[in-house]
Amino acid sequence: MAEAVAQVARKARDAVDNESDTLDLANCLLNSFPEGLCHLMRTVAEKICIVILANNALKSLTRKFITTFTQLRELNLEGNYFRHLPEDIVTLEHLTNINLARNKFKEFPDQLTHLQSLETINLEANEIVELPIEKLILMPSLKHLNLKGNPINKDNLVLPSPVIKFELIISEDQEQTDATVHL
């Protein structure tokens, strides 16, 4: 465990010292985002556009995390234990890409439909059955929605065509083409 703490400290210090736009804490055995890190990162937080927290044991993000990293464009939370996103995530107005693959979502995170800049959503390998299609089609920037490996109920999936203007990937065996809905 001490080694994991040292790894987090080293990666955070490197991001601060190099004034990096990326904070990569993937594979650091985190079960929560260290609040002290928000304090450490305060001098460079506005420059951080990419946060990678993949392959940890996270279940949630705190308000402090969201209010610290307000300029996020990419957030990678793949391979954690998220079931829900905090309501505050809607304040990340610059977010264009979110990776929530291999988590524990049973429902589509409705907060994402309020992020007007969001272009790519990866929810591959979760447990999502239903989609808020009516809300998704109103997302002006959405280009890609990956739901492979989810038990999507295709019988209840009403797709108003030609209104769908993003790539919706649901099954493993489909070809990918732009502006097409894949079932």
Side-chain angles (χ1 to χ4, degrees):
M1 187 59 141
E3 186 177 319
V5 171
Q7 180 184 18
V8 168
R10 186 173 51 256
K11 287 182 169 193
R13 179 56 60 196
D14 286 348
V16 171
D17 291 347
N18 298 323
E19 296 184 11
S20 177
D21 70 344
T22 302
L23 176 61
D24 183 354
L25 297 179
N27 304 301
C28 286
L29 305 175
L30 295 172
N31 55 24
S32 64
F33 189 84
E35 290 287 324
L37 217 48
C38 292
H39 181 70
L40 173 67
M41 302 296 297
R42 75 183 183 285
T43 59
V44 295
E46 292 295 313
K47 296 176 185 165
I48 301 287
C49 298
I50 302 167
V51 172
I52 304 167
L53 296 169
N55 304 315
N56 283 292
L58 299 170
K59 294 181 181 176
S60 65
L61 291 177
T62 64
R63 174 176 289 196
K64 183 75 171 170
F65 173 87
I66 292 170
T67 58
T68 299
F69 299 102
T70 59
Q71 300 302 308
L72 283 184
R73 292 194 180 359
E74 295 182 28
L75 180 57
N76 185 341
L77 300 171
E78 179 178 359
N80 282 285
Y81 297 101
F82 286 91
R83 292 182 184 277
H84 306 281
L85 291 175
E87 290 298 323
D88 293 339
I89 202 150
V90 301
T91 63
L92 296 176
E93 60 188 41
H94 304 290
L95 194 65
T96 60
N97 185 325
I98 190 163
N99 186 347
L100 299 167
R102 297 185 305 105
N103 274 281
K104 303 293 181 193
F105 289 96
K106 292 182 188 272
E107 296 179 355
F108 186 92
D110 191 59
Q111 302 91 319
L112 297 180
T113 64
H114 300 284
L115 291 166
Q116 299 300 302
S117 298
L118 202 53
E119 296 176 4
T120 302
I121 302 170
N122 185 353
L123 279 159
E124 184 174 345
N126 278 279
E127 302 166 19
I128 298 169
V129 177
E130 304 279 332
L131 289 179
I133 287 292
E134 308 79 30
K135 292 180 180 182
L136 290 169
I137 62 176
L138 296 176
M139 293 178 70
S141 302
L142 187 61
K143 295 177 183 167
H144 307 281
L145 174 56
N146 182 353
L147 291 159
K148 283 190 278 188
N150 282 278
I152 299 291
N153 183 349
K154 294 177 186 169
D155 294 336
N156 293 337
L157 192 59
V158 179
L159 301 170
S161 172
V163 180
I164 300 284
K165 58 186 181 293
F166 56 87
E167 178 182 48
L168 174 61
I169 305 169
I170 296 177
S171 67
E172 298 287 336
D173 58 344
Q174 62 196 24
E175 294 180 24
Q176 295 183 15
T177 56
D178 290 337
T180 305
V181 175
H182 301 285
L183 295 176

